[in-house]
Amino acid sequence: MTAPAPAVIRPLAAVHLRDALTAAADHRPAAALAALMHIDPESWTAIEQRTALLGTDLIDLLAHATRGDAA
């Protein structure tokens, strides 16, 4: 049996995610939310999978960006 292909983050979704994290870091929650709402469902699934592999989730990433913690 073949494993299903992992979900793919489309390039435009990656841009929207970057914009959301940047907006969160700049303390612009409305802009962060707007950027996240532009992410397509397949890319959203892929983002959730990737963040889970890192032991976190998108909410934690946004919070981390908002605090301005060093990486």
Side-chain angles (χ1 to χ4, degrees):
M1 195 186 308
T2 305
V8 174
I9 301 173
R10 294 186 174 141
L12 188 55
V15 170
H16 291 311
L17 178 58
R18 182 196 62 209
D19 290 348
L21 293 171
T22 300
D26 292 341
H27 302 285
R28 296 181 298 122
L33 180 58
L36 292 174
M37 292 179 67
H38 283 91
I39 297 173
D40 65 278
E42 182 181 345
S43 295
W44 189 265
T45 299
I47 290 167
E48 289 178 328
Q49 291 172 354
R50 303 272 170 73
T51 56
L53 287 172
L54 296 171
T56 190
D57 59 28
L58 188 56
I59 298 298
D60 286 340
L61 290 177
L62 289 167
H64 181 81
T66 300
R67 288 190 307 263
D69 295 344

